[in-house]
């Protein structure tokens, strides 16, 4: 159950970009923030935590940027194109680096890193799509 | 598509409470944070904004507390019961007040406030359920 | 250099509580959020990280709640007493638990935990003072 | 009273950039996040709120990005250069646009927008300085 789609439509200010791409990006950002927060914690509980340190750090960064991006994209009033683009670029960047790191651990059998990889890849792609539409 | 459920299960530290109630509360918190962020913005774009001021303020507060609560509940390592309970209590409180305010505007035909009311009510209930389980 | 004091005074809605206690609590919350974020990271880089796990987790929680509390207290429009009180109570609780944990590590010579202990104690006290004033 | 400087020094991972510029940027980000949160609320209480709508929206965005940036910069473990640069660029961008908008209202006599302009200009400059050092 999600509220992003009806809220985009009910906002008195029309969205500045394709609605489907916007809704997907908002949802991907919030979902990735949750996944990264949970994955950082799962890493913290692993016996061989020394190997998870970079993953924890990048997950914390990724969660912070995904939340900022998800909140900014949820606003349609007085939209500022340059801010949206710079934010999407930063979010895409951290999702790429964090997703790469999580994938390494997923290949070593950590299921929580596998799930987090999916969240990061999806968010990176959603940001990329939106950025392309906003740069057209 | 959500990641909360597989991440709760894959965490090496077992959850401190019923898994289904925990997953629902995590998801409700993140969804309510998104809904309140979007509703505050929708209110801001309404022609009769003067009537929406309390709604904007409470939505901003509710988004902040829902995010903090959703992040704290996403962590299972070294769980602290007293912190979880106080956080859930605060989140439940702001969801109640914000939901009541949104409902007033929903009754005047604002569809975005109707959606936000649903998000707040669901989150309030999920916090209440989890709090009862943690106080058992 | 801080902006909290002039902003409390310039807000068209008068503060709902003693100005000095309010400004100190806002500042203590933001400062503690920064300290806990930095301390969680410093713990993460320690060679004996296994002993820092609870400290990392509590610092992450404390940062999240301090930010939510600092933001909510920064708002004076349409102030909601019950929300403010529940939020302050949760923040005070996590600052107490996190400060206790940091103090243990400070006693073992970790200077970053010593600094974070100070931040948590100051924020706990500021929340306690404000809560007492709001419950009068 | 601030904790950023001692925490940068006590972190077992050395900072990846000039310490003074880093501490100033961390502090500027957290201070600007507080100022923008408070200014958005002050705008919300102004009788002629219709004229403050763009200011409110940009202040909310600016607060979100400043917090993400301040948190990311507070971490020194497993530093990722590309993420830091993209984040600083986004933060600098929103501080510029928000500062410009606040300045317009400061010129019309709103003291809270004057204070917020100062916070945004300082944060924009601190991000610019750090970005130059990280691109050298």
């Amino acid at each position: 159950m999600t509220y992003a789609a009806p809220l985009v439509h009910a906002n008195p200010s029309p969205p500045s970009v394709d609605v489907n791409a916007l809704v997907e990006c908002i949802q991907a950002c919030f979902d990735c923030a949750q996944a990264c927060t949970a994955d950082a914690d799962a890493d913290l509980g692993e016996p061989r935590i020394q190997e998870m340190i970079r993953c924890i750090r990048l997950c914390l960064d990724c969660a912070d940027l995904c939340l900022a991006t998800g909140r900014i994209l949820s606003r349609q009033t007085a939209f500022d194109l340059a801010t949206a683009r710079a934010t999407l670029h930063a979010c895409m960047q951290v999702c790429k680096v964090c997703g790469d790191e999580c994938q390494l651990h997923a290949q070593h059998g950590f299921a929580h890193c596998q799930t987090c990889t999916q969240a990061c890849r999806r968010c990176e792609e959603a940001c990329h799509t939106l950025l392309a539409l906003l740069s057209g």
Side-chain angles (χ1 to χ4, degrees), chain A residues 14-26:
Chain A
S16 303
V17 69
D18 175 73
V19 170
N20 291 337
L22 178 60
V23 168
E24 164 58 10
C25 197
I26 292 170

Side-chain angles (χ1 to χ4, degrees), chain A residues 89-102:
Chain A
H89 181 259
C91 193
M92 198 172 65
Q93 170 62 39
V94 76
C95 285
K96 165 81 177 109
V97 181
C98 187
D100 286 350
E101 179 69 22
C102 288

Side-chain angles (χ1 to χ4, degrees), chain A residues 26-93:
Chain A
I26 292 170
Q27 200 59 49
C29 282
F30 276 87
D31 286 355
C32 192
Q34 195 278 321
C36 284
T37 303
D39 193 34
D41 180 79
D43 290 346
L44 199 61
E46 289 293 348
R48 295 171 70 176
I49 183 177
Q50 284 287 0
E51 299 168 18
M52 315 305 280
I53 289 175
R54 186 166 187 264
C55 194
I56 295 173
R57 191 256 150 89
L58 291 174
C59 279
L60 295 176
D61 286 4
C62 196
D64 287 338
L65 270 174
C66 284
L67 280 183
T69 307
R71 291 176 78 147
I72 288 169
L73 293 177
S74 297
R75 299 182 186 117
Q76 297 172 210
T77 309
F79 176 78
D80 182 70
L81 180 59
T83 297
R85 285 170 64 171
T87 304
L88 283 165
H89 181 259
C91 193
M92 198 172 65
Q93 170 62 39

